[in-house]
Amino acid sequence: MPPQNFSILLKNKVLTIDFFFVICVSCSWVFALAVKKWMSTSLFLTAAIALLILAKNKKTIPFGQKYGVQKELLWSSIALASPLLAIMLGQLFRQDFYASGYDSSFRFFLTLPILYLMVRNKINTVNYFEYAIPVALFSSLISLLIKPNPFFLASDRMSTYFVDPILFGSMCLTLALMSLMSINLYKNDNSLFKLLKIAGFLIGIYLSIISGSRTGWLAIPIVLLLGVYIKFNKSNFFIALTALIIFITALLFIPIVQQRINIAINEVIGYQWSDLNPDTSLGLRISFIRLGLFLFSNNFFVGTIRNFQ
């Protein structure tokens, strides 16, 4: 079976449950950072549709040799199911049971039927996401303009009305880099799609900066350098590299970027290793790492009960 795409489905007028599955997968990111609970609703709906399709023909779950991905799919399945299993075993050994502990891990587990159906039907998700991702960044910008959400009172850190700025900034940055790297991914994009993807990249960088989230900022030069190396031939490489260096240097002169970098340096230098520390962004992260190492060294197999003091 060849990889499915919209053009084939629409040409054959196949408005079946398989078609709606592809629609759900393709649109999962469109309003992920703009509409509250969009991603959760999309995940549950897509997983339910995938289960229905797989249940119609149980023999076609893609673990046969003809799919050519048996080992990779098996390891992927173990990886996606392992957080749920780890929490179950930890609670069992501690005899400390609570449903809220399964919230995140169950979402990873729900992606299994989606993964199986995409492999079985050879659905090329990248073919859809390369256009959905810049649209998602546009929708995030519109949501932010309509309903701005300063994270702290009198703070310049911004995000959409329901997303933590740390998550918002890191996700916008990730989507921005993906949008840029998707240019001419499978074929030469026309001018309109190139403009869409470049605009998505610039919007994502802008949203990441105004969020004040430093998470992932160091990835910008690394990913862009790799992209330039992969996408440009030798004759254009140095031109593209020069433009990249100018772009990264310009980012460093943006006031909010300078401010956040200076704050990070001061937080690391001022951290007290043998005394109480004020609640700062990097200070808390260092404390969390130390606390995690302490708890792991005390009981690395089953974890610690919730009322640990």
Side-chain angles (χ1 to χ4, degrees):
M1 180 185 296
Q4 292 190 18
N5 56 58
F6 279 133
S7 59
I8 294 175
L9 291 169
L10 291 173
K11 183 178 179 180
N12 297 328
K13 298 181 180 179
V14 187
L15 295 179
T16 63
I17 192 170
D18 296 72
F19 175 79
F20 289 109
F21 172 79
V22 174
I23 290 287
C24 288
V25 171
S26 305
C27 295
S28 58
W29 269 108
V30 171
F31 297 109
L33 299 174
V35 178
K36 191 174 183 179
K37 296 185 178 180
W38 175 272
M39 185 60 81
S40 296
T41 304
S42 176
L43 173 62
F44 285 109
L45 179 61
T46 308
I49 294 174
L51 285 170
L52 284 174
I53 297 173
L54 291 172
K56 289 169 59 179
N57 193 343
K58 298 178 183 178
K59 294 182 180 180
T60 59
I61 294 178
F63 277 102
Q65 292 291 343
K66 67 177 182 176
Y67 293 96
V69 291
Q70 186 175 15
K71 186 182 295 185
E72 292 84 354
L73 188 59
L74 177 61
W75 283 113
S76 298
S77 302
I78 293 172
L80 291 170
S82 59
L84 187 69
L85 180 61
I87 292 172
M88 290 176 63
L89 291 175
Q91 291 190 1
L92 179 63
F93 287 127
R94 295 193 307 269
Q95 292 296 296
D96 181 30
F97 301 100
Y98 51 98
S100 60
Y102 295 94
D103 182 48
S104 297
S105 60
F106 183 65
R107 295 169 193 269
F108 284 104
F109 187 75
L110 272 181
T111 62
L112 284 175
I114 301 173
L115 174 64
Y116 294 158
L117 188 58
M118 289 194 299
V119 172
R120 191 197 72 174
N121 289 5
K122 298 183 179 180
I123 298 173
N124 187 352
T125 54
V126 178
N127 191 43
Y128 308 128
F129 286 160
E130 66 173 318
Y131 304 112
I133 285 173
V135 174
L137 291 165
F138 271 97
S139 70
S140 301
L141 177 62
I142 293 171
S143 175
L144 185 63
L145 293 174
I146 293 175
K147 193 174 182 180
N149 178 37
F151 184 58
F152 299 110
L153 188 64
S155 170
D156 292 332
R157 299 187 64 180
M158 302 294 292
S159 70
T160 47
Y161 67 99
F162 64 98
V163 186
D164 181 278
I166 296 175
L167 176 62
F168 181 75
S170 60
M171 291 308 304
C172 285
L173 177 59
T174 301
L175 295 177
L177 294 173
M178 291 172 66
S179 180
L180 185 66
M181 293 300 107
S182 69
I183 295 175
N184 297 335
L185 185 61
Y186 292 113
K187 60 184 183 303
N188 286 328
D189 292 325
N190 61 41
S191 299
L192 180 61
F193 284 134
K194 285 181 181 178
L195 181 62
L196 172 68
K197 294 177 180 181
I198 292 172
F201 166 71
L202 295 175
I203 289 172
I205 294 293
Y206 167 74
L207 293 176
S208 177
I209 290 172
I210 66 170
S211 74
S213 174
R214 296 165 298 210
T215 306
W217 281 1
L218 288 177
I220 295 176
I222 298 172
V223 174
L224 292 182
L225 280 172
L226 287 173
V228 167
Y229 178 77
I230 292 170
K231 287 184 172 292
F232 291 91
N233 54 38
K234 291 182 180 179
S235 60
N236 295 324
F237 176 75
F238 290 104
I239 297 175
L241 183 61
T242 302
L244 173 60
I245 292 172
I246 294 172
F247 174 73
I248 294 173
T249 304
L251 289 180
L252 295 175
F253 283 96
I254 297 175
I256 189 173
V257 174
Q258 292 180 332
Q259 178 189 18
R260 296 295 292 164
I261 292 175
N262 291 334
I263 290 174
I265 294 172
N266 291 331
E267 287 175 357
V268 173
I269 293 174
Y271 186 82
Q272 302 295 318
W273 294 92
S274 56
D275 200 355
L276 292 175
N277 286 279
D279 289 344
T280 62
S281 181
L282 284 180
L284 285 172
R285 284 168 170 79
I286 296 172
S287 297
F288 289 153
I289 292 172
R290 294 176 64 193
L291 180 61
L293 291 173
F294 171 77
L295 295 175
F296 181 81
S297 63
N298 276 270
N299 199 344
F300 71 92
F301 188 70
V302 300
T304 306
I305 59 176
R306 285 176 291 167
N307 60 352
F308 175 80
Q309 299 293 328

